[in-house]
Amino acid sequence: MQEKQLTSASGYLYLGIALVCFATAAIAASYGGGLLAGLLGFAGLFILKGIVVIYPKEGMAATFFGDYVGTIKETGLQWVNPLYNKTKISLRARNLNGQTLKVNDKMGNPVEIAAVVVWQVKDTAKALFEVDNYVNFVQIQSEAAVRKLANSYAYDHMEDETSSVTLRDSTGQINLFLEQELNERLERAGVDIIEARVSHLAYSSEIAGAMLQRQQASAMIAARRLIVEGAVGMVELALERLEKNGVVSLDEERKAAMVSNLLVVLCGEKSVSPVVNAGTLYN
């Protein structure tokens, strides 16, 4: 079923006709024409029944004895066949703040995820007649899309180092995938997704503590690796300059002792207390 445009007449014109009918009916009744007055009054009421007010960003779908006739989107005071059954539907943008869901990601870890969806009706015929309740349909399908999103990707690269897209690190691609998935699911209901964004993402409470420790350990290892690389470079530079400037001539054993001392000083977590050697390296 596709939306059809329904043309309407000016409501002001038919409002004037209805008022003329009522006025004529009153005159006829005053002269004793009861039957004519009744007919004119009924005609005026019949005409008034066809007058509708349509606000901006609003549509009105009309059916005639069960058949879909079309949708009026012209704003203002309009007039249609009084026998039509008329249903108004909002065309404004709406927000859906999804509830937080507990889902397993691609690696099987439980995560908490939620999304915010901005949507609007673009096909009134599909929204009213293809699904039972289009608002409820949007809510349920949005939750299903978020669940599929979480199941399709790992939380971060720590869980899946080979994946180029993760839930935490690839926000733009994840949101694009969510929009595409929602548009495919909600096309049946005539709904257009304006924007879809992940609003909440975290590990589930039962594993959050363990994952935090893992992240802290990874950060510590990375920091230590950087410190060691920098310390080795500084030691190499020190030995190179000492030999180049001829400050002191060191054999291999003295070089090893100097490297050991410098690495302890540069890589230690606490400040080092120096010990002055008044003798030689061998005494």
Side-chain angles (χ1 to χ4, degrees):
M1 180 173 290
Q2 299 292 332
E3 181 182 275
K4 296 185 292 185
Q5 191 71 23
L6 179 64
T7 58
S8 59
S10 173
Y12 297 101
L13 174 62
Y14 282 87
L15 178 60
I17 294 174
L19 293 177
V20 170
C21 290
F22 290 138
T24 307
I27 295 173
S30 64
Y31 284 96
L35 179 60
L36 179 59
L39 292 175
L40 289 173
F42 176 78
L45 292 175
F46 184 76
I47 293 173
L48 284 179
K49 190 176 183 298
I51 297 177
V52 293
V53 179
I54 301 178
Y55 297 96
K57 302 298 291 183
E58 186 179 60
M60 191 193 71
T63 57
F64 185 65
F65 293 107
D67 292 330
Y68 171 65
V69 179
T71 300
I72 303 173
K73 293 184 178 179
E74 298 178 5
T75 59
L77 196 64
Q78 305 294 328
W79 187 88
V80 293
N81 189 335
L83 297 179
Y84 287 166
N85 184 23
K86 300 173 283 292
T87 304
K88 288 188 176 182
I89 181 171
S90 175
L91 304 178
R92 299 181 181 91
R94 312 186 191 188
N95 276 323
L96 173 62
N97 189 11
Q99 62 179 347
T100 302
L101 306 174
K102 182 182 290 187
V103 194
N104 291 336
D105 68 355
K106 181 181 178 182
M107 308 306 295
N109 297 315
V111 298
E112 295 179 351
I113 186 171
V116 173
V117 180
V118 182
W119 61 279
Q120 67 180 159
V121 174
K122 67 175 181 178
D123 191 311
T124 57
K126 289 182 177 180
L128 291 175
F129 306 116
E130 288 290 343
V131 295
D132 184 55
N133 186 324
Y134 67 93
V135 176
N136 191 40
F137 187 82
V138 170
Q139 181 178 357
I140 294 175
Q141 291 300 320
S142 297
E143 291 184 3
V146 171
R147 290 183 181 275
K148 181 178 179 181
L149 173 70
N151 292 331
S152 301
Y153 298 99
Y155 182 86
D156 56 19
H157 291 292
M158 291 174 55
E159 297 296 329
D160 188 3
E161 297 180 355
T162 62
S163 177
S164 59
V165 180
T166 61
L167 295 174
R168 191 184 70 172
D169 301 326
S170 307
T171 307
Q173 298 181 51
I174 291 298
N175 292 333
L176 180 60
F177 172 84
L178 181 59
E179 289 182 16
Q180 294 174 347
E181 181 68 19
L182 285 171
N183 276 316
E184 292 177 2
R185 290 174 175 268
L186 299 176
E187 193 275 335
R188 176 186 293 273
V191 170
D192 180 42
I193 299 300
I194 301 174
E195 184 181 13
R197 294 288 181 268
V198 174
S199 60
H200 174 77
L201 179 65
Y203 280 114
S204 185
S205 57
E206 56 264 28
I207 67 168
M211 290 301 177
L212 179 60
Q213 291 179 355
R214 179 177 178 179
Q215 292 174 357
Q216 291 174 342
S218 299
M220 185 177 297
I221 291 173
R224 282 293 176 186
R225 184 182 294 113
L226 183 62
I227 290 173
V228 171
E229 290 178 357
V232 170
M234 294 174 66
V235 171
E236 291 177 350
L237 180 61
L239 292 175
E240 180 183 351
R241 288 195 175 183
L242 287 174
E243 292 181 358
K244 181 179 179 180
N245 297 334
V247 175
V248 64
S249 179
L250 301 175
D251 56 18
E252 295 300 322
E253 186 174 357
R254 288 184 173 87
K255 287 182 180 179
M258 181 178 178
V259 169
S260 175
N261 292 335
L262 286 176
L263 288 177
V264 169
V265 172
L266 295 174
C267 297
E269 293 184 1
K270 299 180 179 179
S271 300
V272 178
S273 300
V275 177
V276 178
N277 185 7
T280 66
L281 179 64
Y282 304 102
N283 296 306

